Amino acid sequence: MAHFPDARLLFDPEAHAMKELPRAFFLQATASVARHLLGAWLARRFEGNWYGARIVETEAYLGVRDRAAHSWNGRRTARVEPMFRAGGHLYVYFVYGMHHCANVVTRREGCPEAVLLRAAEGPEGTPPKLLSGPGKLCAALGISSAFSGVDLLGKGDVRIFSNGRAPRHTKAGPRIGIDYAGEAREWPLRFYDADSPAVSRRSGA
DNA sequence: CACATGATCGCCT
DNA sequence: GGCGATCATGTGG
């Protein structure tokens, strides 16, 4: 249960001329945020150093009207509470008794939508599949439920940076692992960088 | 390549 | 009490 980041993900946001994505970005429509998070860097500060990875796969979860979302039908429990906060907060949950999944909350306060971060690429030279899946992504960056609810903006230890570069080829398709969600299971709310080797379940391209 | 399974436990009914 | 926004490993073709 490492709660610390993989040393191979060490990087320097300033050296790469990165800027934090502003609050306004996260207040936009959730599917748009999911699409445009591709290419941004999820970063974690640990003992004074930054560790990060480039986001290459995301999924949008559309709140009360989306059967696949934890906040479906207005469900509001302690676990899901972070989803009701303003865009730019983090929502982390624990599944299958062993994995954590990280989400970026979107839209205004009281509108419980979010973007699941499914896969990322570490800095040059890191193993291609180190963060190829939501559970692996959290494990590699040391993100656990202890971070659920924190603000990504401001002075926290988890932030999202961007150098303004988007993937050459962004593709969309149905979300993974939500066969129980009725017609929502077909909604094309999964976005990924078609050129990335880190994308999970590559077959469906 | 396509399933199938086990691990393991918080969450919600 | 049942199941999940997963993953690694194993089997068979």
Side-chain angles (χ1 to χ4, degrees):
Chain A
M1 304 306 162
H3 60 290
F4 50 87
D6 188 302
R8 293 169 290 190
L9 299 181
L10 183 68
F11 88 122
D12 181 1
E14 293 190 16
H16 294 266
M18 293 188 177
K19 294 185 176 179
E20 280 187 64
L21 287 173
R23 180 77 64 192
F25 173 82
F26 301 102
L27 300 180
Q28 301 176 90
T30 304
S32 181
V33 174
R35 174 180 289 271
H36 297 292
L37 269 176
L38 298 180
W41 284 67
L42 173 65
R44 157 105 197 266
R45 183 167 54 188
F46 181 71
E47 294 182 344
N49 294 311
W50 283 100
Y51 299 81
R54 178 179 167 273
I55 299 165
V56 298
E57 181 182 352
T58 61
E59 283 178 358
Y61 283 84
L62 306 186
V64 301
R65 62 205 148 113
D66 180 0
R67 229 179 169 97
H70 290 165
S71 53
W72 174 68
N73 204 26
R75 198 154 129 260
R76 184 166 191 166
T77 61
R79 178 180 68 150
V80 193
E81 193 61 31
M83 285 187 75
F84 287 79
R85 301 190 61 110
H89 284 79
L90 194 64
Y91 166 48
V92 183
Y93 65 88
F94 184 64
V95 272
Y96 299 118
M98 60 189 80
H99 298 296
H100 293 278
C101 294
N103 299 253
V104 173
V105 175
T106 59
R107 308 204 58 193
R108 66 180 183 279
E109 182 178 357
C111 188
E113 305 192 12
V115 173
L116 171 66
L117 304 179
R118 283 197 60 90
E121 291 175 0
E124 278 296 322
T126 49
K129 300 198 299 180
L130 184 64
L131 308 98
S132 63
K136 295 167 76 176
L137 184 156
C138 282
L141 281 166
I143 294 176
S144 70
S145 351
F147 289 96
S148 195
V150 303
D151 195 350
L152 293 166
L153 281 289
K155 306 300 178 190
D157 289 334
V158 181
R159 301 188 204 178
I160 293 187
F161 295 100
S162 172
N163 54 16
R165 291 176 203 269
R168 268 206 210 58
H169 306 295
T170 295
K171 292 199 175 188
R175 293 170 292 180
I176 304 295
I178 53 151
D179 288 351
Y180 58 84
E183 55 184 59
R185 67 189 250 158
E186 297 166 19
W187 297 351
L189 295 176
R190 177 186 181 221
F191 302 93
Y192 57 96
D193 177 347
D195 301 313
S196 174
V199 171
S200 66
R201 308 205 193 184
R202 315 220 79 244
S203 53

